PDB file of all heavy atoms in Angstrom:
ATOM      1  N   ARG A   9       5.795 -94.236  67.451  1.00 95.00           N
ATOM      2  CA  ARG A   9       4.753 -94.666  66.576  1.00 95.00           C
ATOM      3  C   ARG A   9       4.421 -96.080  66.965  1.00 95.00           C
ATOM      4  O   ARG A   9       3.262 -96.538  66.772  1.00 95.00           O
ATOM      5  CB  ARG A   9       5.161 -94.572  65.067  1.00 95.00           C
ATOM      6  CG  ARG A   9       5.377 -93.096  64.654  1.00 95.00           C
ATOM      7  CD  ARG A   9       4.129 -92.396  64.512  1.00 95.00           C
ATOM      8  NE  ARG A   9       3.137 -93.092  63.673  1.00 95.00           N
ATOM      9  CZ  ARG A   9       3.178 -92.928  62.303  1.00 95.00           C
ATOM     10  NH1 ARG A   9       4.020 -92.157  61.662  1.00 95.00           N
ATOM     11  NH2 ARG A   9       2.264 -93.533  61.551  1.00 95.00           N
ATOM     12  N   ARG A  31      -7.433 -77.491  73.036  1.00 91.00           N
ATOM     13  CA  ARG A  31      -7.932 -78.779  73.576  1.00 91.00           C
ATOM     14  C   ARG A  31      -7.235 -79.943  72.920  1.00 91.00           C
ATOM     15  O   ARG A  31      -6.728 -79.937  71.744  1.00 91.00           O
ATOM     16  CB  ARG A  31      -9.400 -78.831  73.001  1.00 91.00           C
ATOM     17  CG  ARG A  31     -10.319 -78.010  73.878  1.00 91.00           C
ATOM     18  CD  ARG A  31     -11.807 -78.390  73.901  1.00 91.00           C
ATOM     19  NE  ARG A  31     -12.508 -77.681  75.050  1.00 91.00           N
ATOM     20  CZ  ARG A  31     -13.745 -78.001  75.306  1.00 91.00           C
ATOM     21  NH1 ARG A  31     -14.420 -78.815  74.517  1.00 91.00           N
ATOM     22  NH2 ARG A  31     -14.346 -77.295  76.329  1.00 91.00           N
ATOM     23  N   GLN A  37      -8.089 -97.012  69.989  1.00 94.00           N
ATOM     24  CA  GLN A  37      -8.715 -97.711  68.877  1.00 94.00           C
ATOM     25  C   GLN A  37      -8.230 -99.126  68.758  1.00 94.00           C
ATOM     26  O   GLN A  37      -6.983 -99.319  68.711  1.00 94.00           O
ATOM     27  CB  GLN A  37      -8.528 -96.946  67.562  1.00 94.00           C
ATOM     28  CG  GLN A  37      -9.129 -97.584  66.459  1.00 94.00           C
ATOM     29  CD  GLN A  37      -9.017 -96.842  65.108  1.00 94.00           C
ATOM     30  OE1 GLN A  37      -7.895 -96.034  64.980  1.00 94.00           O
ATOM     31  NE2 GLN A  37      -9.765 -96.979  64.084  1.00 94.00           N
ATOM     32  N   GLY A  42     -14.121 -98.108  66.093  1.00 91.00           N
ATOM     33  CA  GLY A  42     -13.740 -96.737  65.941  1.00 91.00           C
ATOM     34  C   GLY A  42     -13.035 -96.294  67.258  1.00 91.00           C
ATOM     35  O   GLY A  42     -12.977 -96.989  68.247  1.00 91.00           O
ATOM     36  N   TYR A  48      -9.770 -85.769  77.977  1.00 91.00           N
ATOM     37  CA  TYR A  48      -9.356 -84.498  77.204  1.00 91.00           C
ATOM     38  C   TYR A  48      -8.955 -83.433  78.166  1.00 91.00           C
ATOM     39  O   TYR A  48      -9.295 -83.402  79.350  1.00 91.00           O
ATOM     40  CB  TYR A  48     -10.477 -84.128  76.231  1.00 91.00           C
ATOM     41  CG  TYR A  48     -11.472 -83.110  76.886  1.00 91.00           C
ATOM     42  CD1 TYR A  48     -11.437 -81.695  76.561  1.00 91.00           C
ATOM     43  CD2 TYR A  48     -12.492 -83.581  77.683  1.00 91.00           C
ATOM     44  CE1 TYR A  48     -12.282 -80.832  77.020  1.00 91.00           C
ATOM     45  CE2 TYR A  48     -13.416 -82.706  78.138  1.00 91.00           C
ATOM     46  CZ  TYR A  48     -13.352 -81.344  77.851  1.00 91.00           C
ATOM     47  OH  TYR A  48     -14.258 -80.411  78.368  1.00 91.00           O
ATOM     48  N   GLU A  56     -12.226 -84.048  81.704  1.00 85.00           N
ATOM     49  CA  GLU A  56     -13.171 -85.303  81.740  1.00 85.00           C
ATOM     50  C   GLU A  56     -12.244 -86.517  81.412  1.00 85.00           C
ATOM     51  O   GLU A  56     -11.331 -86.588  80.617  1.00 85.00           O
ATOM     52  CB  GLU A  56     -14.245 -85.184  80.670  1.00 85.00           C
ATOM     53  CG  GLU A  56     -15.231 -86.254  80.731  1.00 85.00           C
ATOM     54  CD  GLU A  56     -16.515 -86.127  80.097  1.00 85.00           C
ATOM     55  OE1 GLU A  56     -16.819 -84.878  79.752  1.00 85.00           O
ATOM     56  OE2 GLU A  56     -17.084 -87.119  79.658  1.00 85.00           O
ATOM     57  N   PHE A  97     -10.878 -74.284  70.786  1.00 75.00           N
ATOM     58  CA  PHE A  97     -12.185 -74.101  71.467  1.00 75.00           C
ATOM     59  C   PHE A  97     -12.219 -72.633  71.930  1.00 75.00           C
ATOM     60  O   PHE A  97     -11.406 -72.251  72.688  1.00 75.00           O
ATOM     61  CB  PHE A  97     -12.493 -75.049  72.579  1.00 75.00           C
ATOM     62  CG  PHE A  97     -13.751 -74.753  73.229  1.00 75.00           C
ATOM     63  CD1 PHE A  97     -15.022 -75.059  72.656  1.00 75.00           C
ATOM     64  CD2 PHE A  97     -13.804 -74.090  74.511  1.00 75.00           C
ATOM     65  CE1 PHE A  97     -16.192 -74.808  73.374  1.00 75.00           C
ATOM     66  CE2 PHE A  97     -14.876 -73.861  75.249  1.00 75.00           C
ATOM     67  CZ  PHE A  97     -16.177 -74.130  74.622  1.00 75.00           C
ATOM     68  N   HIS A 102     -17.450 -75.020  67.985  1.00 63.00           N
ATOM     69  CA  HIS A 102     -17.326 -76.453  68.063  1.00 63.00           C
ATOM     70  C   HIS A 102     -16.550 -76.952  66.807  1.00 63.00           C
ATOM     71  O   HIS A 102     -17.171 -77.369  65.867  1.00 63.00           O
ATOM     72  CB  HIS A 102     -18.657 -77.085  68.090  1.00 63.00           C
ATOM     73  CG  HIS A 102     -19.471 -76.627  69.259  1.00 63.00           C
ATOM     74  ND1 HIS A 102     -19.248 -77.018  70.553  1.00 63.00           N
ATOM     75  CD2 HIS A 102     -20.578 -75.723  69.405  1.00 63.00           C
ATOM     76  CE1 HIS A 102     -20.085 -76.382  71.321  1.00 63.00           C
ATOM     77  NE2 HIS A 102     -20.864 -75.666  70.764  1.00 63.00           N
ATOM     78  N   GLU A 104     -13.647 -79.138  64.591  1.00 85.00           N
ATOM     79  CA  GLU A 104     -13.366 -80.486  64.354  1.00 85.00           C
ATOM     80  C   GLU A 104     -12.074 -80.751  65.036  1.00 85.00           C
ATOM     81  O   GLU A 104     -11.286 -79.851  65.269  1.00 85.00           O
ATOM     82  CB  GLU A 104     -13.297 -80.840  62.909  1.00 85.00           C
ATOM     83  CG  GLU A 104     -12.319 -80.038  62.040  1.00 85.00           C
ATOM     84  CD  GLU A 104     -12.967 -78.766  61.442  1.00 85.00           C
ATOM     85  OE1 GLU A 104     -13.981 -78.314  61.996  1.00 85.00           O
ATOM     86  OE2 GLU A 104     -12.221 -78.236  60.614  1.00 85.00           O
ATOM     87  N   GLN A 105     -11.819 -82.060  65.320  1.00 88.00           N
ATOM     88  CA  GLN A 105     -10.597 -82.438  65.851  1.00 88.00           C
ATOM     89  C   GLN A 105      -9.687 -82.913  64.872  1.00 88.00           C
ATOM     90  O   GLN A 105     -10.003 -83.593  63.873  1.00 88.00           O
ATOM     91  CB  GLN A 105     -10.872 -83.589  66.911  1.00 88.00           C
ATOM     92  CG  GLN A 105     -11.747 -83.143  68.004  1.00 88.00           C
ATOM     93  CD  GLN A 105     -12.129 -84.276  68.999  1.00 88.00           C
ATOM     94  OE1 GLN A 105     -11.595 -85.355  69.044  1.00 88.00           O
ATOM     95  NE2 GLN A 105     -13.145 -84.128  69.741  1.00 88.00           N
ATOM     96  N   GLY A 108      -3.593 -87.185  65.271  1.00 94.00           N
ATOM     97  CA  GLY A 108      -2.218 -87.628  65.011  1.00 94.00           C
ATOM     98  C   GLY A 108      -2.202 -88.953  64.439  1.00 94.00           C
ATOM     99  O   GLY A 108      -3.200 -89.585  64.313  1.00 94.00           O
TER     100      GLY A 108
ATOM    101  N   TYR B  32     -24.049 -82.921  66.643  1.00 89.00           N
ATOM    102  CA  TYR B  32     -22.960 -82.536  65.661  1.00 89.00           C
ATOM    103  C   TYR B  32     -22.502 -83.900  65.084  1.00 89.00           C
ATOM    104  O   TYR B  32     -22.322 -84.913  65.665  1.00 89.00           O
ATOM    105  CB  TYR B  32     -21.729 -81.991  66.390  1.00 89.00           C
ATOM    106  CG  TYR B  32     -21.904 -80.655  66.840  1.00 89.00           C
ATOM    107  CD1 TYR B  32     -20.791 -80.031  67.655  1.00 89.00           C
ATOM    108  CD2 TYR B  32     -22.745 -79.760  66.371  1.00 89.00           C
ATOM    109  CE1 TYR B  32     -20.846 -78.770  68.149  1.00 89.00           C
ATOM    110  CE2 TYR B  32     -22.798 -78.384  66.664  1.00 89.00           C
ATOM    111  CZ  TYR B  32     -21.861 -77.898  67.656  1.00 89.00           C
ATOM    112  OH  TYR B  32     -21.950 -76.630  68.002  1.00 89.00           O
ATOM    113  N   TYR B  36     -14.976 -88.907  59.207  1.00 96.00           N
ATOM    114  CA  TYR B  36     -13.464 -88.838  59.073  1.00 96.00           C
ATOM    115  C   TYR B  36     -13.052 -90.076  58.126  1.00 96.00           C
ATOM    116  O   TYR B  36     -13.710 -91.131  58.048  1.00 96.00           O
ATOM    117  CB  TYR B  36     -12.796 -89.086  60.414  1.00 96.00           C
ATOM    118  CG  TYR B  36     -12.824 -87.895  61.353  1.00 96.00           C
ATOM    119  CD1 TYR B  36     -13.902 -87.568  62.059  1.00 96.00           C
ATOM    120  CD2 TYR B  36     -11.631 -87.093  61.445  1.00 96.00           C
ATOM    121  CE1 TYR B  36     -13.917 -86.417  62.968  1.00 96.00           C
ATOM    122  CE2 TYR B  36     -11.624 -86.042  62.338  1.00 96.00           C
ATOM    123  CZ  TYR B  36     -12.737 -85.714  63.026  1.00 96.00           C
ATOM    124  OH  TYR B  36     -12.748 -84.674  63.839  1.00 96.00           O
ATOM    125  N   GLN B  38      -9.632 -92.757  57.297  1.00 93.00           N
ATOM    126  CA  GLN B  38      -8.341 -93.223  57.896  1.00 93.00           C
ATOM    127  C   GLN B  38      -7.710 -94.058  56.764  1.00 93.00           C
ATOM    128  O   GLN B  38      -8.210 -95.134  56.330  1.00 93.00           O
ATOM    129  CB  GLN B  38      -8.566 -94.122  59.064  1.00 93.00           C
ATOM    130  CG  GLN B  38      -7.359 -94.482  59.774  1.00 93.00           C
ATOM    131  CD  GLN B  38      -7.629 -95.055  61.117  1.00 93.00           C
ATOM    132  OE1 GLN B  38      -8.629 -95.796  61.364  1.00 93.00           O
ATOM    133  NE2 GLN B  38      -6.749 -94.789  62.157  1.00 93.00           N
ATOM    134  N   ASN B  41      -1.727 -96.587  58.159  1.00 74.00           N
ATOM    135  CA  ASN B  41      -0.607 -95.980  58.882  1.00 74.00           C
ATOM    136  C   ASN B  41      -0.622 -94.467  58.973  1.00 74.00           C
ATOM    137  O   ASN B  41       0.320 -93.846  59.111  1.00 74.00           O
ATOM    138  CB  ASN B  41       0.728 -96.400  58.167  1.00 74.00           C
ATOM    139  CG  ASN B  41       0.955 -97.790  58.173  1.00 74.00           C
ATOM    140  OD1 ASN B  41       0.750 -98.491  59.165  1.00 74.00           O
ATOM    141  ND2 ASN B  41       1.286 -98.403  57.049  1.00 74.00           N
ATOM    142  N   GLY B  43      -3.189 -91.003  60.574  1.00 82.00           N
ATOM    143  CA  GLY B  43      -4.238 -90.636  61.409  1.00 82.00           C
ATOM    144  C   GLY B  43      -5.558 -90.407  60.774  1.00 82.00           C
ATOM    145  O   GLY B  43      -5.573 -90.241  59.499  1.00 82.00           O
ATOM    146  N   LYS B  49     -18.512 -81.848  58.253  1.00 92.00           N
ATOM    147  CA  LYS B  49     -19.230 -81.958  59.547  1.00 92.00           C
ATOM    148  C   LYS B  49     -20.626 -81.245  59.203  1.00 92.00           C
ATOM    149  O   LYS B  49     -20.733 -80.396  58.303  1.00 92.00           O
ATOM    150  CB  LYS B  49     -18.587 -81.177  60.581  1.00 92.00           C
ATOM    151  CG  LYS B  49     -18.319 -79.706  60.433  1.00 92.00           C
ATOM    152  CD  LYS B  49     -17.566 -78.959  61.628  1.00 92.00           C
ATOM    153  CE  LYS B  49     -17.248 -77.592  61.217  1.00 92.00           C
ATOM    154  NZ  LYS B  49     -16.463 -76.981  62.298  1.00 92.00           N
ATOM    155  N   PHE B  90     -15.107 -93.282  59.026  1.00 97.00           N
ATOM    156  CA  PHE B  90     -15.803 -93.264  60.338  1.00 97.00           C
ATOM    157  C   PHE B  90     -16.714 -92.166  60.413  1.00 97.00           C
ATOM    158  O   PHE B  90     -16.352 -90.985  60.116  1.00 97.00           O
ATOM    159  CB  PHE B  90     -14.707 -93.161  61.394  1.00 97.00           C
ATOM    160  CG  PHE B  90     -13.852 -94.387  61.669  1.00 97.00           C
ATOM    161  CD1 PHE B  90     -12.584 -94.313  61.066  1.00 97.00           C
ATOM    162  CD2 PHE B  90     -14.293 -95.388  62.391  1.00 97.00           C
ATOM    163  CE1 PHE B  90     -11.826 -95.460  61.275  1.00 97.00           C
ATOM    164  CE2 PHE B  90     -13.413 -96.539  62.585  1.00 97.00           C
ATOM    165  CZ  PHE B  90     -12.188 -96.481  61.995  1.00 97.00           C
ATOM    166  N   ASN B  99     -18.906 -80.728  74.228  1.00 58.00           N
ATOM    167  CA  ASN B  99     -17.825 -80.450  73.339  1.00 58.00           C
ATOM    168  C   ASN B  99     -16.774 -81.656  73.391  1.00 58.00           C
ATOM    169  O   ASN B  99     -15.900 -81.650  72.509  1.00 58.00           O
ATOM    170  CB  ASN B  99     -17.216 -79.220  73.739  1.00 58.00           C
ATOM    171  CG  ASN B  99     -18.090 -78.120  73.497  1.00 58.00           C
ATOM    172  OD1 ASN B  99     -18.951 -78.124  72.541  1.00 58.00           O
ATOM    173  ND2 ASN B  99     -17.972 -77.041  74.095  1.00 58.00           N
ATOM    174  N   ASN B 100     -16.783 -82.495  74.494  1.00 65.00           N
ATOM    175  CA  ASN B 100     -15.644 -83.333  74.566  1.00 65.00           C
ATOM    176  C   ASN B 100     -15.877 -84.777  74.117  1.00 65.00           C
ATOM    177  O   ASN B 100     -14.878 -85.534  73.679  1.00 65.00           O
ATOM    178  CB  ASN B 100     -15.151 -83.350  75.977  1.00 65.00           C
ATOM    179  CG  ASN B 100     -16.318 -83.398  76.917  1.00 65.00           C
ATOM    180  OD1 ASN B 100     -17.058 -82.536  77.084  1.00 65.00           O
ATOM    181  ND2 ASN B 100     -16.442 -84.584  77.547  1.00 65.00           N
ATOM    182  N   PHE B 104     -17.687 -92.601  67.917  1.00 92.00           N
ATOM    183  CA  PHE B 104     -17.374 -93.018  66.617  1.00 92.00           C
ATOM    184  C   PHE B 104     -18.033 -94.319  66.344  1.00 92.00           C
ATOM    185  O   PHE B 104     -18.325 -95.164  67.114  1.00 92.00           O
ATOM    186  CB  PHE B 104     -15.835 -93.240  66.425  1.00 92.00           C
ATOM    187  CG  PHE B 104     -15.064 -91.932  66.303  1.00 92.00           C
ATOM    188  CD1 PHE B 104     -14.585 -91.309  67.365  1.00 92.00           C
ATOM    189  CD2 PHE B 104     -14.752 -91.526  64.971  1.00 92.00           C
ATOM    190  CE1 PHE B 104     -13.902 -90.088  67.314  1.00 92.00           C
ATOM    191  CE2 PHE B 104     -13.957 -90.385  64.885  1.00 92.00           C
ATOM    192  CZ  PHE B 104     -13.553 -89.669  66.070  1.00 92.00           C
ATOM    193  N   GLY B 105     -18.414 -94.471  64.979  1.00 94.00           N
ATOM    194  CA  GLY B 105     -18.876 -95.843  64.538  1.00 94.00           C
ATOM    195  C   GLY B 105     -17.743 -96.761  64.352  1.00 94.00           C
ATOM    196  O   GLY B 105     -16.626 -96.347  64.634  1.00 94.00           O
TER     197      GLY B 105
END
Side-chain angles (χ1 to χ4, degrees):
Chain A
R9 294 291 303 275
R31 285 201 165 184
Q37 185 180 18
Y48 90 102
E56 186 167 337
F97 176 75
H102 300 285
E104 59 273 18
Q105 297 174 19
Chain B
Y32 280 168
Y36 283 84
Q38 188 173 37
N41 299 317
K49 65 182 177 183
F90 291 96
N99 293 330
N100 45 288
F104 285 82

